[in-house]
Amino acid sequence: MPELPEVETVARQLHEAMQGLRISRSRVFDKKLSLPRGALGLTGRVINKVWRSGKQVVLSLDPGRSGCGPIWLVVHLRMTGRLIWCANGTLDRVGDKPRARWDCEQGGALFFCDTRRFGTLQVCQSEEEFLPARAIVDPTTRNFTMRWFRQALSGSSQPIKIWLMRQDRLVGLGNIYASEILYDCALSPLRPAGSLNEEELRELRASTRKILRRAIQHCGVTFSDFQDSRGEMGSYQVYLRVYGRAAGTCKRCGGSILRIVQAQRGTFYCPGCQK
DNA sequence: CTTTCAGCCTGGGCGC
DNA sequence: TGCGCCCAGGCTGAAA
């Protein structure tokens, strides 16, 4: 479920809560998940930093008493995954039973809950194992330049909405934000990616940055599945203009918002003003 | 190379 | 209240 702003929100909150804590116990309950044992064990390590890489939450773990090098615990939440920090070490306010949990020496525990069980855990010994390849750009960074964007889109006949969700080009955008960004800059989701002129490209880039920045400010979107690391809700959903509003009225032109299907995913847009 | 499509899972909401 | 659908924010890998 979570896209870049939701993952960013969770990572920031977990960083605030967990930086400097030492992991005293690591448990995985769901057999679909596995973590390596021995030298790569998490127990005794200190949480140096919690951050976002693409749509993944990354915990950088110092060696602690292990005498080994640093490692990274990398969590991809996919559709319904949640990382929830509980200062009292008990999972309340949450119906789900956890797939995994990590207790901290100083008290408190991190729970990984994930109704649909699509989420993944990874323990990495180097950043290369989980960082996006060089050619892949995070739209919140300064690498997201016009020069790169123009070059990346050129020649592509893929519909722009599908292209925006390509994690092998641009990391972080999913179904909600792709629809919202295209609405914001009044571009049709059906337009071939390579057909955008310079002006449209500029507006698409500006909208992408603007929508993501705003969503992060508001701690992301909340639907039934998403809660942040404190089990609280984001507030950005009240700002959604088209997503989930099929047959609703477009605030810009008064037209009717349409739901179509692209690559087996719902796309919401206003045919009246998105050209 | 491209695009399509099933599959991974579970639960909520809808119409009957 | 119950049943059978359809829907869901992601991503992979096989097939066409």
Side-chain angles (χ1 to χ4, degrees):
Chain A
M1 109 340 107
E3 304 180 34
L4 187 153
E6 290 76 31
V7 178
E8 179 72 30
T9 299
V10 169
R12 285 183 185 181
Q13 291 177 350
L14 292 180
H15 182 80
E16 193 63 31
M18 300 183 74
Q19 186 186 29
L21 301 185
R22 188 188 300 274
I23 295 175
S24 56
R25 194 174 184 194
S26 168
R27 279 177 282 177
V28 175
F29 308 109
D30 187 341
K31 287 198 163 54
K32 202 181 160 190
L33 299 171
S34 65
L35 286 181
R37 304 191 175 279
L40 290 181
L42 308 185
T43 304
R45 289 178 179 270
V46 173
I47 298 160
N48 169 28
K49 188 168 72 157
V50 186
W51 50 293
R52 175 185 66 79
S53 171
K55 289 182 186 173
Q56 308 190 108
V57 178
V58 181
L59 283 78
S60 299
L61 302 173
D62 284 345
R65 297 186 265 265
S66 71
C68 310
I71 59 172
W72 291 265
L73 174 62
V74 182
V75 184
H76 198 309
L77 301 169
R78 295 288 182 100
M79 300 283 265
T80 55
R82 290 140 76 192
L83 283 170
I84 299 164
W85 169 252
C86 294
N88 61 7
T90 54
L91 188 60
D92 43 11
R93 284 188 295 184
V94 179
D96 265 350
K97 62 177 183 198
R99 302 181 75 192
R101 71 177 282 175
W102 298 276
D103 293 278
C104 292
E105 200 171 271
Q106 296 88 340
L110 176 66
F111 293 86
F112 177 38
C113 297
D114 181 14
T115 306
R116 286 172 73 180
R117 299 167 67 209
F118 288 169
T120 57
L121 295 180
Q122 223 184 323
V123 176
C124 302
Q125 287 177 279
S126 72
E127 294 192 311
E128 286 67 47
E129 292 174 51
F130 64 88
L131 283 180
R134 279 184 65 86
I136 301 175
V137 164
D138 183 315
T140 64
T141 66
R142 52 195 327 157
N143 293 334
F144 184 36
T145 60
M146 274 299 286
R147 181 189 166 86
W148 174 85
F149 203 26
R150 188 186 302 121
Q151 173 66 33
L153 288 177
S154 74
S156 173
S157 58
Q158 208 162 29
I160 185 63
K161 192 261 192 171
I162 305 306
W163 194 95
L164 288 174
M165 297 197 301
R166 284 186 64 164
Q167 305 299 305
D168 62 340
R169 293 288 185 279
L170 203 55
V171 271
L173 297 182
N175 214 24
I176 293 183
Y177 291 105
S179 282
E180 292 297 319
I181 287 164
L182 289 169
Y183 176 79
D184 190 68
C185 59
L187 275 173
S188 165
L190 299 164
R191 286 280 299 279
S195 75
L196 274 56
N197 64 34
E198 189 69 10
E199 179 62 17
E200 291 169 333
L201 218 55
R202 196 172 298 283
E203 287 176 8
L204 176 56
R205 179 176 171 277
S207 291
T208 302
R209 297 186 84 105
K210 181 178 87 179
I211 296 286
L212 290 177
R213 191 177 61 243
R214 272 195 206 162
I216 290 168
Q217 273 168 9
H218 291 278
C219 296
V221 173
T222 300
F223 277 78
S224 54
D225 295 321
F226 180 68
Q227 293 176 317
D228 66 19
S229 65
R230 295 178 301 220
E232 289 167 4
M233 311 282 215
S235 61
Y236 192 71
Q237 71 277 12
V238 303
Y239 299 94
L240 294 181
R241 293 287 176 253
V242 284
Y243 189 84
R245 295 188 190 271
T249 303
C250 168
K251 288 201 168 75
R252 189 164 48 207
C253 76
S256 201
I257 293 164
L258 210 58
R259 178 184 186 272
I260 60 172
V261 175
Q262 290 180 286
Q264 294 92 243
R265 320 289 304 278
T267 298
F268 296 86
Y269 79 115
C270 172
C273 55
Q274 290 180 254
K275 298 298 182 189

